[in-house]
């Protein structure tokens, strides 16, 4: 878990100051059927919100924890990240993820083993979900940077 947390912190610290220097035209450029870079960042906000709830709820919810999916496309559209002020969007993304880092640092090994049942009935553990969250974040940050 230690390596995932270090990677996570590096991604956050490198990009909180990088994203604001991107040109608004680049951030808001749209290709039909695809999210803009700004909307990808908004998707990362939605992901952070849902995973923050998951990472905390698992501590007191009935076991095994039932993973609830969310409609990513609808959330990006409903939250209208495309027209949101980029600095506010970056702050929201950064602060939510800093809280997730704090949660990840505080989790003990026993909790990392808690079982999670996905909607397709696949069973994973919290450690996998947290590590996968960092990989997901890295993937989308790389899309924004490309």
């Amino acid at each position: 878990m230690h390596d995932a947390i270090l990677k996570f912190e590096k991604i956050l610290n490198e990009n909180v100051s990088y994203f604001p220097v991107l040109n608004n035209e680049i951030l808001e450029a749209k290709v039909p059927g695809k999210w803009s870079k700004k909307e990808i960042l908004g998707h990362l906000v939605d992901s952070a919100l849902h995973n923050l709830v998951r990472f905390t709820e698992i501590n007191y919810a009935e076991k095994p924890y039932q993973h609830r999916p969310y409609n990513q496309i609808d959330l990006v559209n409903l939250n209208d990240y495309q027209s949101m002020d980029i600095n506010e969007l970056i702050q929201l993304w950064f602060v939510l993820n800093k809280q997730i880092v704090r949660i990840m640092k505080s989790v003990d090994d026993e909790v990392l083993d808690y079982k999670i049942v996905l909607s397709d009935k696949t069973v994973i553990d919290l450690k996998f979900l947290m590590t996968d969250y960092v990989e997901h974040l890295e993937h989308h940050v790389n899309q924004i940077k490309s």
Side-chain angles (χ1 to χ4, degrees), residues 45-143:
V45 166
D46 294 335
S47 178
L49 283 165
H50 282 83
N51 281 289
L52 179 58
V53 169
R54 291 170 180 149
F55 297 163
T56 53
E57 260 186 357
I58 196 167
N59 290 282
Y60 59 82
E62 183 178 331
K63 310 295 183 285
Y65 183 77
Q66 301 296 313
H67 180 276
R68 293 178 311 278
Y70 61 96
N71 191 318
Q72 301 171 17
I73 295 168
D74 283 347
L75 281 175
V76 168
N77 293 333
L78 288 166
N79 283 298
D80 193 20
Y81 294 118
Q82 185 72 356
S83 65
M84 189 172 179
D85 177 81
I86 189 60
N87 293 313
E88 289 179 12
L89 185 57
I90 292 165
Q91 286 177 334
L92 184 57
W93 170 78
F94 184 71
V95 170
L96 285 167
N97 280 290
K98 288 295 283 185
Q99 181 61 21
I100 291 173
V101 167
R102 280 190 279 283
I103 296 294
M104 290 172 99
K105 285 180 173 181
S106 72
V107 173
D108 64 33
D109 290 340
E110 179 184 325
V111 176
L112 287 174
D113 290 334
Y114 283 172
K115 299 303 176 214
I116 299 168
V117 180
L118 303 179
S119 57
D120 68 359
K121 304 301 179 207
T122 302
V123 178
I124 61 172
D125 59 25
L126 181 59
K127 181 177 182 178
F128 177 86
L129 189 62
M130 287 181 162
T131 304
D132 187 62
Y133 176 78
V134 176
E135 296 300 319
H136 173 260
L137 177 72
E138 181 180 43
H139 167 75
H140 285 304
V141 164
N142 288 336
Q143 286 181 316

Side-chain angles (χ1 to χ4, degrees), residues 17-41:
S17 56
Y18 172 74
F19 291 157
V21 301
L22 292 173
N23 180 302
N24 240 13
E25 280 184 25
I26 292 170
L27 286 168
E28 294 179 356
K30 293 276 290 179
V31 174
K34 301 279 186 183
W35 286 331
S36 69
K37 293 177 186 298
K38 204 172 181 183
E39 288 171 320
I40 292 170
L41 187 56

